Structure formats: C-alpha cells, structure tokens
Amino acid sequence: MLISRKGDWFEAIITSGQTGKTIETFLKDEWKMPKKLLHQFRMNKQVKLNNEVVGWNQLLHANDRLQAQFYFPEEQTFPPFYTELDLLYEDEHFLITNKPAGIDTHPNEQGDKKTLSNMVAFHFLTEGLQTAPRHIHRLDRDTSGAILFAKHPLVAAILDKMLEKREIKRTYIALVNGIVKQNKGTINQPIGRDRHHATRRRVSPSGQHAVTHYRVLHRNHKFQQTLVELSLETGRTHQIRVHMSHLGHPLIGDTLYGGLPASIGQQVLHAVRLQLQHPFTQEKIEALAPLPPGIFKHYESVILKQYNI
C-alpha cells in the first residue's frame, strides 16, 4: 500500500482492489484500526477524503486520496531525558533501538526519568513529534538489545495485535551455566509470582501460559557454559530467566534465579534480533542489535558468524 506523510497527516492512494469499500471498512480492513481509535478519529475529524471531511459511509474510488491524522499532540507521560539512541531502524511509524543494560524500559517509580521511554521521548521532540512513546514490548533492566517503540496510536494498536498473534519475532542469546545436552528444545511451563519473593517469578501450575524455544549455539566444556539462542511465543516477566533456571541452566550472572555471579555484574542476556512485516508497506524488517562490549567475551566470533552483526 502506498502511504506517504504530509506533516501530521498520512495519505493513502486508493487502488482498484480497494474500490467500493466505505471509508470505515477501509480503516478496519486495511489499517486494522480498533473500535476505540475509530471512534476517536471520527469524533475528532481526523480522516478526510480528497482533503474534505465526509461521511464514513462514502464509497472509495480508484486514485482517491484518503488522509488520516496519525500525529496529534498528546500529554507527555515521560519527561524527555537527553541521550543519543542507538537506532537500529526508524521510519514515520515506529523505531527499533538497541537498549543498553542497566536502564529500565519505562519508569517503575515516581520521579524516575532516566529510562528508555524518557530517552525516546527526547528523540521524538528532536523530530518535532508531540506524541507519547509507546513501547510494544519490554526488556528487563539488565537485558540489552532490540526493542520496538510506536510513534503514533494507530501503529501502536496494530503492533500490539501483531505481537499477540506472534507476528513479531524476538530472538535472544544467553550464556547459561552448565552444558545443555539437547541441541534444541521447547520449555512449555506456566509462570506465576513467587509468593515468598516480591520480584521473583517461578514455574507454577496456576501461572500464565509461557513457551520458550531454545537452540544450542556453542558448548564450552572448559568453563562449563553453553551459549544458547532463545525465541519467545509469549512475553511473561522474566520468562527466559525462569525457564532456563527451571531447565537446570540458569543464566550466568542471574543470581536471582540461581546463576553464578558474573564479573560484568549483570545477567548475560541480549535481544539480538527483532523481525516483523511492516504493517503499512509490507516490507520485511530485520533489526540486529550489536553486542554490548565484554559480556560475550569468549563467544563473539560464534555470534558474529551466526547473525552477521
């Protein structure tokens, strides 16, 4: 679909295959606009046809120009914090950035202004955007790597649905204690809160459905360590950490779940790759996050060969 930005508005040229649809049907079918946004766009007159506000039962014809206001001023929930983002991908609709370890994805306490969301808020300001940052998924404080942010409410709603339908693929690499015997496998165990620890999670029959796939990339018998690739079907809090600990191979540096301490002072977990099909252009997007210095000290050549970073 050809769609172009015109200031705060975006314009789509109607094709022959879309003729005969009403504006409302187009918004639902082509842009997957949810009911709440449909109501908002209708009430605020954020949709035009050939530069005019018309009824949403209006039929579309080939070469019509449908315009929608994707950008509009919003309350800034994240005070901007100045820093340079390590951008892996960016266009008018969303961005993918490489989160460093040691910062939260979003504020967890009142007054916390040095999170990735605050940094993205500053980046939006430099682009003249008054929309609020929307993270589509999260990474733990001590996990680095690729993370996805939406630039406007419509693409946020679309990406949320894509994540729910497993159409956004997230690949992680981790270094775990011990030698993982199987070359690949799946951990399908529900995860719930640990009632004995405020922040800890555990495998629990009454927990939420959680599925993690793993694949061995390298075994280091000398150090009794295994480098593994992991992919998620679900996105539970601490999912990889809980599942690998349950398997008997906690992440190195993840002392909360039984891992041996690491000299770098953090768990060895990195979101190395994020893949999705662009919801508007249908382009296949693949973002690869460079490795943080030092945390995969003996395994960088294996990783670089695997992912061509």
Side-chain angles (χ1 to χ4, degrees), residues 173 227 289-291 299-309:
I173 48 176
L227 180 70
L291 299 179
Y299 308 93
E300 290 180 353
S301 61
V302 175
I303 296 168
L304 295 177
K305 183 178 180 181
Q306 180 72 36
Y307 301 104
N308 197 27
I309 299 174

Side-chain angles (χ1 to χ4, degrees), residues 280-292:
F280 293 111
T281 68
Q282 309 310 312
E283 176 189 4
K284 289 184 178 179
I285 307 295
E286 179 182 60
L288 293 169
L291 299 179

Side-chain angles (χ1 to χ4, degrees), residues 56-101:
W56 281 23
N57 60 352
Q58 178 85 28
L59 295 178
L60 299 174
H61 301 90
N63 298 317
D64 274 348
R65 292 175 294 121
L66 184 71
Q67 294 115 359
Q69 186 184 11
F70 288 178
Y71 294 145
F72 49 87
E74 295 182 284
E75 180 183 356
Q76 294 303 307
T77 51
F78 304 111
F81 179 76
Y82 170 75
T83 192
E84 292 288 333
L85 294 177
D86 182 9
L87 290 172
L88 306 175
Y89 176 87
E90 182 178 22
D91 65 12
E92 296 93 343
H93 305 286
F94 58 86
L95 64 81
I96 304 170
T97 188
N98 186 16
K99 183 184 96 64

Side-chain angles (χ1 to χ4, degrees), residues 45-250:
K45 295 181 169 53
Q46 289 174 245
V47 177
K48 296 179 181 179
L49 185 63
N50 300 320
N51 294 314
E52 294 183 5
V53 177
V54 298
W56 281 23
N57 60 352
Q58 178 85 28
L59 295 178
L60 299 174
H61 301 90
N63 298 317
D64 274 348
R65 292 175 294 121
L66 184 71
Q67 294 115 359
Q69 186 184 11
F70 288 178
Y71 294 145
F72 49 87
E74 295 182 284
E75 180 183 356
Q76 294 303 307
T77 51
F78 304 111
F81 179 76
Y82 170 75
T83 192
E84 292 288 333
L85 294 177
D86 182 9
L87 290 172
L88 306 175
Y89 176 87
E90 182 178 22
D91 65 12
E92 296 93 343
H93 305 286
F94 58 86
L95 64 81
I96 304 170
T97 188
N98 186 16
K99 183 184 96 64
I103 65 170
D104 290 313
T105 300
H106 57 79
N108 292 310
E109 298 177 1
Q110 191 172 2
D112 187 0
K113 299 178 181 178
K114 296 184 180 180
T115 75
L116 190 62
S117 292
N118 298 95
M119 297 169 186
V120 173
F122 178 83
H123 180 75
F124 281 7
L125 281 184
T126 66
E127 296 186 325
L129 300 182
Q130 299 180 58
T131 56
R134 292 168 167 84
H135 58 274
I136 303 304
H137 58 107
R138 290 175 289 182
L139 293 176
D140 290 346
R141 180 181 179 85
D142 288 332
T143 302
S144 56
I147 187 168
L148 176 62
F149 279 83
K151 287 190 168 185
H152 56 78
L154 176 56
V155 80
I158 296 171
L159 292 173
D160 281 341
K161 185 60 69 174
M162 289 174 64
L163 188 70
E164 184 182 317
K165 294 166 67 176
R166 305 170 189 168
E167 294 172 353
I168 298 175
K169 299 188 183 303
R170 295 166 288 163
T171 305
Y172 297 77
I173 48 176
L175 198 59
V176 302
N177 291 123
I179 302 300
V180 179
K181 293 181 180 179
Q182 286 186 259
N183 288 333
K184 60 182 179 178
T186 297
I187 308 166
N188 186 348
Q189 295 288 342
I191 293 175
R193 289 184 177 274
D194 187 334
R195 64 175 181 265
H196 302 295
H197 196 293
T199 58
R200 186 181 162 102
R201 301 295 193 274
R202 66 186 182 91
V203 166
S204 168
S206 60
Q208 293 178 296
H209 175 65
V211 178
T212 303
H213 304 286
Y214 68 88
R215 180 169 70 98
V216 170
L217 298 179
H218 184 75
R219 296 179 178 93
N220 188 326
H221 291 272
K222 178 180 178 181
F223 295 114
Q224 285 295 293
Q225 297 172 346
T226 306
L227 180 70
V228 292
E229 176 189 88
L230 304 121
S231 60
L232 304 178
E233 284 194 18
T234 52
R236 308 305 176 203
T237 301
H238 298 180
Q239 179 173 321
I240 287 174
R241 299 164 64 187
V242 173
H243 273 172
M244 292 311 295
S245 179
H246 180 75
L247 195 65
H249 299 284

